[in-house]
Amino acid sequence: LTEHSSSGGGGDPEGVGALPKGSLETGMRVNKKYSCLPAEEKGIHIINIRAIEDIGYDQHESTLLNSLSKNPDADCKYGLYFRDGKRKVDYILVYHYKKSSAGKTLARRAQHNDASLRSTKQDQPLPGKGVQLEMGESEPHMDYHEDDKRFRREEYEGNLVEAGLELERDEDTKIHGIGFVKIHAPWNVLCREAEFLKLKMPTKKMYQINQTHGLLKKINSVIQKITEPIQPKVAEHKPQTVKRLSYPFSREKQHLTTCTKAKYSMGKGEGRKKETALLNKRRKCGKYGITSLLANGVYSAAYPLHDGDYEGENVEPNDRKLLCEEWASYGVFYKYQPIDLVRKYFGEKIGLYFAWLGVYTQMLIPASIVGIIVFLYGCATVDENIPSMEMCDQRNNITMCPLCDKTCSYWKMSSACATARASHLFDNPATVFFSVFMALWAATFMEHWKRKQMRLNYRWDLTGFEEEEDHPRAEYEAKVLEKSLRKEHKHKEKHRYFPEETANKWRQRVKTVMAGVKLTDKEKLTWKDRFPAYLTNFVSIIFMVGLTFAIVFGVIIYRISTAAALAISSTPSGRSSVRVTVTATAVIINLVVIIILDEVYGCIARWLTQIEVPKTDKNFEERLIFKAFLLKFVNAYTPIFYVAFFKGRFVGRPGDYVYIFHSFRMEECAPGGCLMELCIQLSIIMLGKQLIQNNLFEIGIPKMKKFIRYLKLKRRRSLDHEEHMKKKQRYEVDYNLEPFAGLTPEYMEMIIQFGFVTLFVASFPLAPLFALLNNIIEIRLDAKKFVTELRRPVAVRAKDIGIWYNILRGIGKLAVIINAFVISFTSDFIPRLVYLYMYSENGTMHGFVNHTLSSFNVSDFQAGTAPNDPLDLGYEVQICRYKDYREPPWSENKYDISKDFWAVLAARLAFVIVFQNLVMFMSEFVDWIIPDIPKDISQQIHKEKVLMVEVFMREEQGKLQMLETWKDKDKKKGENCNNHSPRLSRSRSGSLSSCHSYPLDV
């Protein structure tokens, strides 16, 4: 939540008059064009956008500015303040206007009923710089839609003024055709809204935070000294030993808090805290407000201002500049994030995202270290791996069957030596250990984040925070209104069709009332109303999933045809590198398709969510996240799932292969297994997606949009030299920045990366390392984007990361199952164990390769499938080998599945069951043994409650003692009066009673 550094009080400035109570009602007039509309149309457009409910609002504090100052740029500090240089701009509304008609206002405001008023009334716009028409100018022709938009703006702004906010307009800017409305929240409005939202504010009572003692204290002090160089130089990041009690703000108990109007005026303390959140949380006039007005184009943007510039020689110190130096810089990548300052500037929701990203990145460090150790173990033992040594031994003279029909010839197994040796780097006994480790790592990460989240909730005073029910979205209200109008029409017409003209008017009415009608609570959308949207969602998602499968199938056809084409190569080196070439090029194609479809699926998911018309913004966000994650998950992982679980499973055998379209044979795995190809697939997609989509797109696209926006503004800029030399106001500079689009894209890319790290980690132990390197850059990249490239987001309170936590838990559970199947079915780990303990004669792996190969008599080839050049190896081949467990050709049941296959399959299924249940149990044990709430935090929360009760008890006791003191004084005065005369006593009886009642009144 934001806390601006400001100067200027919340009281009425000198020379400012209060807006008369009835001025908005008596002075609300429309121009001639608007008044000439039919009565029914007029009723549609003159819709009361109800003002914010007034709770304890003092009328005279809501004022309009007389802003004709001599040197405005010097006083307002280039847009951070109103033109009086005292009141800070808390929020900006931006709108488009036509310069020819900018001086006229649709909703005319009443003038003060004063004798000195001019006889000819003129418009009184919002204070500030606006383009005024000369008295003799005639009113130009105005577009009907512009007329309507201006009317709604005037009415909405009038309601904001009635709610206590202070407004100032500025249309005399360097950006022609763009007007700005500056909003300031006075002190009394902040107090009122803080009480309404039950914001916790610090009290004057301070208490000592429990500190560690003994050995733990010494260890913590040593750790602090060691980590001091990597701590950001930010005041908010320093460890606290004392903390103030926090209590929901109440104006009756304001004397207990540290918030005072004096501190608010000086821009210090907690007085100005959370003002942007207040403006956003209750910025809706009734059930409609800025969201619907933005959707209808009445306003083009609405945002709070950044604190100031972040670079330059004479830039005043501010939080934005501090964040840029200590957080949004690649030079401080090794430092901790100043999370408290991030939360203070951007709000809890964004603060929690960066805190979660920081915890995730920290947890990747041990995972990366273990992954590197596993990889180095594979490198160290590659020369001792007996199966790869047997494959590389040319003395074995193992002749393999052709990889394709006709054009491919027989080949030596020793030609796949490099692939076999590389497979051992990732397919070794340490991989099983690493899979178990990563499953436990995922469970530990989730528990660690829950504890970190609880600490942040305690530090940010969110322990008792409960999210309020959101207002219905403007689209939902419009849909409900359309439903109610349809029912009303059916009732009036008695189920008869109405003329086309009436239908068009009715449709126009539905569109125009989206900004301001209160609907009855009885009407709502049912599943029948949403059934067409649900059906569209279901069909569209099925279609897009099918499209993803079709693209993967097309890439499979490419792999098969390219492998056949390369196999015809006359050079031995070309034939030996067929698998690597085909795999690498196919993965690059998959990567390009994934990046393109990611953008397409994101837009389609948003459209599908919009046609569902969710009731609240929270429902909209959750449904959008679910659809986008489902589509992007399928898009990113379908090629990997194919290589892991389907490639080489349905090939058939020589003489009886499975064909696609009766011409293409299904792909086979290499003699060393498909794990190496899975590793290549996973590494290229993961690294390419992170490099291109997450980094280049995030840097390049915002800069490109900013440059295009700059060129457009430069074309529209006047050639007036004086205006060109004028320095831009802060709100003009922020308007040129990219609007904040939410945290969904940021979370989505990290969740997909989390899937790469956990789901197939058995095939790529270096995935955590590459994720760690990416996240170190990603944190600073996102920080730089938020501080320098985006408009300042509205501060939003949140106590957790929402639905993303459930998605993370789901991926963690799914990772256990997938890794179990990868180890048992994709790798050769289980076949090696079965051979070692069931078939090995000397208890070693000698003979394992020969055990996994079956024999085929070349005379059993189908007609037209035998190699065209059977003597390519220099000798005639009678028996060739292929990877499978089948009976030899000299057996009675030749080419049938052998007993060895069933033994290996049983071992694989047994391993899946044991591995899955064991790891799930261990994960649940980790979840159970680590408490969600740290013990010291639970003690501090309990201590806060006890101390708060003591504070209130002391306050009540003080009131009673004061009351008793006053009673004693009154009693003594009464006794003195009785000693003088009865008459005087009777005359004092009224004063005594009033004296006794005085403390009660206080």
Side-chain angles (χ1 to χ4, degrees), residues 352-396:
L352 282 173
Y353 163 71
F354 281 102
W356 173 83
L357 184 56
V359 170
Y360 172 48
T361 304
Q362 287 178 359
M363 290 294 293
L364 283 173
I365 296 175
S368 302
I369 294 173
V370 177
I372 293 173
I373 293 173
V374 170
F375 178 74
L376 293 178
Y377 171 81
C379 295
T381 58
V382 67
D383 293 329
E384 302 173 2
N385 184 39
I386 296 176
S388 61
M389 291 170 63
E390 288 184 347
M391 291 181 63
C392 295
D393 190 358
Q394 297 183 1
R395 293 173 297 178
N396 291 332

Side-chain angles (χ1 to χ4, degrees), residues 707-828:
F707 181 70
I708 293 173
R709 199 182 298 112
Y710 168 76
L711 292 179
K712 289 182 179 178
L713 293 174
K714 191 175 181 181
R715 290 176 184 175
R716 295 163 54 185
R717 186 174 294 165
S718 173
L719 298 178
D720 187 3
H721 179 71
E722 181 181 352
E723 186 171 348
H724 179 72
M725 296 301 294
K726 183 176 64 176
K727 183 174 179 179
K728 282 188 177 182
Q729 303 289 322
R730 177 78 262 155
Y731 43 84
E732 295 179 77
V733 176
D734 287 2
Y735 178 71
N736 292 330
L737 299 177
E738 190 72 15
F740 175 64
L743 290 171
T744 299
E746 315 297 336
Y747 274 114
M748 187 67 70
E749 66 182 68
M750 288 296 105
I751 297 298
I752 296 296
Q753 184 204 84
F754 182 78
F756 283 124
V757 170
T758 56
L759 292 180
F760 297 95
V761 74
S763 62
F764 191 39
L766 296 179
L769 174 63
F770 289 112
L772 173 64
L773 297 176
N774 174 81
N775 287 5
I776 291 174
I777 301 174
E778 181 73 20
I779 290 176
R780 307 303 164 180
L781 179 63
D782 284 349
K784 198 172 187 65
K785 182 173 68 175
F786 272 82
V787 174
T788 64
E789 300 290 339
L790 298 180
R791 294 174 191 162
R792 187 173 186 173
V794 174
V796 179
R797 288 192 301 169
K799 63 185 303 183
D800 52 40
I801 60 175
I803 193 175
W804 297 109
Y805 181 80
N806 297 328
I807 294 177
L808 284 170
R809 285 190 65 88
I811 292 177
K813 302 294 183 185
L814 183 63
V816 177
I817 302 172
I818 290 180
N819 281 309
F821 278 94
V822 168
I823 294 171
S824 60
F825 285 91
T826 308
S827 73
D828 283 340

Side-chain angles (χ1 to χ4, degrees), residues 51-59 162-164 188 192-193 282:
I52 299 175
E53 185 180 359
D54 188 8
I55 304 175
Y57 161 62
D58 184 11
Q59 176 85 18
E162 288 182 359
N188 67 299
R192 183 188 72 207
E193 297 294 319
R282 298 198 63 210

Side-chain angles (χ1 to χ4, degrees), residues 292-320:
S292 58
L293 295 177
L294 287 171
N296 293 327
V298 178
Y299 290 102
S300 58
Y303 52 88
L305 291 180
H306 281 291
D307 276 2
D309 293 328
Y310 59 89
E311 58 184 359
E313 296 180 358
N314 300 322
V315 176
E316 296 182 0
N318 57 71
D319 286 345
R320 188 187 187 191

Side-chain angles (χ1 to χ4, degrees), residues 241-420:
T241 57
V242 294
K243 188 178 184 295
R244 292 186 181 274
L245 284 178
S246 297
Y247 185 74
F249 183 82
S250 172
R251 283 173 287 183
E252 294 180 357
K253 299 186 181 299
Q254 186 175 331
H255 60 281
L256 296 177
T257 66
T258 58
C259 301
T260 62
K261 191 169 183 178
K263 287 187 177 181
Y264 162 84
S265 301
M266 294 184 295
K268 298 178 181 179
E270 301 289 335
R272 283 205 69 85
K273 200 169 187 178
K274 304 178 175 64
E275 57 203 11
T276 306
L278 298 177
L279 283 165
N280 181 58
K281 192 68 179 178
R282 298 198 63 210
R283 60 183 172 171
K284 295 184 177 181
C285 289
K287 288 195 174 184
Y288 293 89
I290 192 62
T291 305
S292 58
L293 295 177
L294 287 171
N296 293 327
V298 178
Y299 290 102
S300 58
Y303 52 88
L305 291 180
H306 281 291
D307 276 2
D309 293 328
Y310 59 89
E311 58 184 359
E313 296 180 358
N314 300 322
V315 176
E316 296 182 0
N318 57 71
D319 286 345
R320 188 187 187 191
K321 187 174 186 295
L322 186 60
L323 282 173
C324 189
E325 293 172 353
E326 295 295 328
W327 181 52
S329 173
Y330 296 109
V332 294
F333 72 92
Y334 59 91
K335 289 188 177 183
Y336 285 99
Q337 299 183 84
I339 293 298
D340 290 328
L341 184 59
V342 175
R343 171 253 181 178
K344 173 186 171 184
Y345 194 82
F346 292 110
E348 277 88 351
K349 192 170 186 178
I350 294 177
L352 282 173
Y353 163 71
F354 281 102
W356 173 83
L357 184 56
V359 170
Y360 172 48
T361 304
Q362 287 178 359
M363 290 294 293
L364 283 173
I365 296 175
S368 302
I369 294 173
V370 177
I372 293 173
I373 293 173
V374 170
F375 178 74
L376 293 178
Y377 171 81
C379 295
T381 58
V382 67
D383 293 329
E384 302 173 2
N385 184 39
I386 296 176
S388 61
M389 291 170 63
E390 288 184 347
M391 291 181 63
C392 295
D393 190 358
Q394 297 183 1
R395 293 173 297 178
N396 291 332
N397 197 27
I398 300 177
T399 303
M400 303 298 294
C401 295
L403 296 174
C404 61
D405 294 341
K406 294 184 180 180
T407 56
C408 298
S409 183
Y410 306 105
W411 56 286
K412 293 286 189 179
M413 175 173 276
S414 58
S415 63
C417 175
T419 305

Side-chain angles (χ1 to χ4, degrees), residues 24 84 105 121 129 178 243-244 269 313 320 336 399 433 503 524 556 632 647 693 703 718 722 726 750 791 862 989:
L24 284 175
D84 61 356
T105 57
K121 292 186 179 180
K129 291 186 287 186
I178 302 294
K243 188 178 184 295
R244 292 186 181 274
E313 296 180 358
R320 188 187 187 191
Y336 285 99
T399 303
F433 159 75
K524 62 180 181 179
I556 294 171
K632 293 187 177 185
K647 184 178 180 181
Q693 191 175 30
K703 288 189 178 296
S718 173
E722 181 181 352
K726 183 176 64 176
M750 288 296 105
R791 294 174 191 162
Q862 291 181 351
S989 60

